[in-house]
Amino acid sequence: MQLGLIGLGKMGGNMAERLRLAGHQVVGFDFSAEAVAKLTASGNVGVSSLEDLAKKLTRRRAIWIMVPQGDPVDQTIAKLLPLLNPGDILIDGGNSNYKDSMRRHAELTAKGFNFVDAGTSGGVWGLKEGYALMIGGDEEPVKFLTPIFQALAPAANRGWGHVGPAGAGHFVKMVHNGIEYGMMQSYAEGFTILEKKEPLHLDLAQIAEIWRHGSVVRSWLLDLTAEALKQNPKLDGLEAYVADSGEGRWTVFEAIDLNVSAPIITESLIRRIRSREENNFTDRMIAIQRNAFGGHAVKKD
């Protein structure tokens, strides 16, 4: 089966290679000429424009979009539509807001096109491990794309599923990422407690390795943590700055709208934002309040 792919970064490139290995052909476009050349060298087909991509795809076109969420997705779709035929399928595999996916589905189906939202998890490890795919959209195009989903997933019968109508795929992926925030924060806090207990001279890499086997806290995330600690036990050279892709924020907003208490995910998001503040005003305000009511010492620069 043929698949058009827009966006050949690390994740998109790995997806293309996994599909090639499964016997599918990818026709890929990226603004990076190097990425396009690499795709062609691997045995797939790289093109230099969206027009070429549309021409190279035969029969019913299916195009997977891997670009940043928001306006870049809308711009890409707008440029593609004049090149496509009714019945063709657009798949958004990025981290889009589910409300945008619902809107895009309504707009595109009204024009005779199909739109599928594919929440995609697996990151840079997807080529080896496969991708978890959370699919939203109409049943017919999802059924048509099943061979693609089966090839990208860890196995044909697991790690992927049609979870609901348009927007459902990105909604489930959003909550998935919110849970990920909480898991990462919990591991980070636990290992920090261990690291601070200096009299015991604890080996964090050793402990992580122990927990990987038989422990109730074992996970793939712990596997990656254990490997990272082996490579850099003291986390030397790293800045205490944690970015967020936006999906944690959306999860918190949804929890509030749905009257769902989600303190772990919410606090995990707050901690990420806090990591970006240098000598932040909040902590200085707390220090001066403690000094005012209790005479507690205030540290000065």
Side-chain angles (χ1 to χ4, degrees):
M1 183 173 179
Q2 264 193 331
L3 180 74
L5 179 60
I6 299 173
L8 300 174
K10 185 66 173 178
M11 191 167 178
N14 283 347
M15 290 173 64
E17 180 62 10
R18 188 169 177 88
L19 288 169
R20 186 190 68 81
L21 293 172
H24 302 285
Q25 184 188 59
V26 171
V27 179
F29 167 76
D30 195 279
F31 287 111
S32 166
E34 181 180 353
V36 171
K38 183 177 180 181
L39 181 73
T40 302
S42 72
N44 278 306
V45 179
V47 297
S48 58
S49 69
L50 295 180
E51 289 79 7
D52 286 344
L53 182 141
K55 291 176 182 177
K56 292 285 186 182
L57 293 172
T58 59
R59 291 178 285 180
R60 186 184 189 183
R61 299 180 184 92
I63 301 176
W64 191 299
I65 301 170
M66 290 292 285
V67 302
Q69 65 90 16
D71 192 52
V73 178
D74 286 325
Q75 288 188 25
T76 301
I77 291 174
K79 292 175 181 177
L80 281 171
L81 288 188
L83 309 173
L84 304 180
N85 297 320
D88 288 345
I89 308 170
L90 295 174
I91 310 113
D92 181 3
N95 285 330
S96 288
N97 189 296
Y98 80 96
K99 295 178 182 178
D100 286 337
S101 296
M102 294 172 70
R103 170 181 58 80
R104 290 167 185 143
H105 174 269
E107 293 172 351
L108 289 168
T109 53
K111 297 176 181 178
F113 300 99
N114 293 278
F115 179 84
V116 171
D117 52 294
T120 307
S121 181
V124 297
W125 292 89
L127 175 58
K128 177 183 177 183
E129 303 289 341
Y131 297 90
L133 301 172
M134 297 140 267
I135 312 301
D138 298 329
E139 184 174 349
E140 190 279 328
V142 171
K143 184 176 180 180
F144 179 84
L145 293 167
T146 291
I148 296 297
F149 299 142
Q150 290 176 331
L152 289 172
N157 61 348
R158 66 174 185 268
W160 77 279
H162 185 191
V163 299
H170 281 148
F171 185 86
V172 173
K173 177 56 162 53
M174 176 193 74
V175 177
H176 163 283
N177 281 25
I179 293 170
E180 178 187 293
Y181 277 42
M183 291 177 65
M184 293 174 71
Q185 184 68 29
S186 182
Y187 279 129
E189 292 177 5
F191 278 104
T192 300
I193 294 169
L194 295 172
E195 192 269 338
K196 291 295 183 181
K197 196 64 175 179
E198 295 178 357
L200 297 184
H201 305 291
L202 299 173
D203 184 335
L204 302 191
Q206 178 200 32
I207 293 167
E209 189 63 31
I210 293 170
W211 287 353
R212 287 184 59 223
H213 306 282
S215 165
V216 297
V217 300
R218 66 187 183 272
S219 71
W220 185 50
L221 184 57
L222 182 61
D223 294 344
L224 299 175
T225 301
E227 184 60 31
L229 287 170
K230 287 179 185 177
Q231 300 297 325
N232 189 356
K234 297 296 183 181
L235 306 184
D236 294 329
L238 298 179
E239 184 180 353
Y241 182 103
V242 186
D244 72 281
S245 64
E247 293 196 306
R249 299 179 185 228
W250 301 339
T251 305
V252 171
F253 298 156
E254 284 294 327
I256 294 170
D257 287 344
L258 296 169
N259 288 320
V260 173
S261 175
I264 303 302
I265 295 173
T266 302
E267 179 60 21
S268 299
L269 171 63
I270 297 301
R271 293 297 301 177
R272 290 195 179 199
I273 296 171
R274 179 70 173 273
S275 76
R276 303 162 205 170
E277 301 178 10
E278 292 185 11
N279 192 22
N280 67 80
F281 188 84
T282 304
D283 287 348
R284 285 184 281 151
M285 179 61 73
I286 293 172
I288 202 68
Q289 290 178 82
R290 293 182 74 249
N291 175 262
F293 72 70
H296 301 288
V298 177
K299 290 185 177 182
K300 298 183 179 180
D301 292 337

